[in-house]
């Protein structure tokens, strides 16, 4: 039923750019805020960026602010994360997550999570 499928991950040199996509299915996408998280093995999951149900509000971690841009297309049921000037510290598994609009922004608890896609940034 519910699916959140990330794509666009891969390896990139420091200073490079990547765009992640998250395709949503099986739920009413416009009723949900969407967030991106990342996690390095052995570490806790870290919030990266989020966007409200209508795209009116966005939020970013201090570490990525000014370099990453989150956006969404409610017609295509897609959320994106444009990442520029990537640094080795950005390495991790990036996952998109959905949280019902009335509960957005939410800390870590979300309704659904994608499987994640690996980002590796080399020095």
């Amino acid at each position: 039923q519910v699916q959140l499928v990330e794509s666009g991950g891969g390896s990139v040199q420091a200073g490079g750019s990547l765009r992640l996509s998250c395709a949503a299915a099986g739920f009413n996408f416009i009723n949900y805020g969407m967030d991106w998280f990342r996690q390095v093995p052995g570490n806790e999951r870290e919030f990266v960026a989020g966007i409200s149900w209508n795209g009116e509000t966005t939020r970013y971690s201090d570490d990525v602010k000014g370099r990453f841009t989150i956006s969404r297309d409610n017609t295509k049921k897609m959320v994106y994360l444009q990442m520029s000037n990537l640094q080795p510290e950005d390495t991790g598994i990036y996952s998109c997550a959905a949280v019902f609009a009335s509960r957005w922004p939410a800390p870590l608890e979300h309704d659904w999570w994608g499987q994640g896609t690996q980002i590796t940034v080399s020095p």
Side-chain angles (χ1 to χ4, degrees):
Q1 52 162 22
V2 171
Q3 291 184 336
L4 292 173
V5 181
E6 302 92 341
S7 61
S11 298
V12 65
Q13 294 286 330
S17 298
L18 289 171
R19 189 175 82 155
L20 301 182
S21 299
C22 175
F27 66 100
N28 197 351
F29 184 70
I30 64 171
N31 287 337
Y32 288 80
M34 298 296 297
D35 295 320
W36 286 96
F37 289 80
R38 66 188 181 190
Q39 186 172 19
V40 178
N43 205 355
E44 68 273 10
R45 183 175 289 125
E46 174 190 13
F47 170 79
V48 176
I51 188 166
S52 61
W53 69 274
N54 59 359
E56 179 179 333
T57 305
T58 58
R59 61 192 187 112
Y60 300 92
S61 70
D62 290 338
D63 291 340
V64 308
K65 191 174 300 181
R67 299 188 296 119
F68 290 11
T69 301
I70 189 171
S71 61
R72 68 188 295 161
D73 185 331
N74 285 342
T75 299
K76 297 180 179 179
K77 302 178 70 174
M78 298 283 290
V79 61
Y80 307 98
L81 185 67
Q82 178 67 49
M83 305 180 292
S84 62
N85 193 23
L86 284 161
Q87 302 299 134
E89 296 77 27
D90 296 317
T91 293
I93 299 174
Y94 284 68
S95 302
C96 63
V99 58
F100 194 72
S102 64
R103 296 189 287 109
W104 190 93
L108 295 176
E109 186 170 315
H110 287 66
D111 293 290
W112 301 291
W113 293 83
Q115 183 175 341
T117 185
Q118 177 71 44
I119 298 295
T120 302
V121 185
S122 301

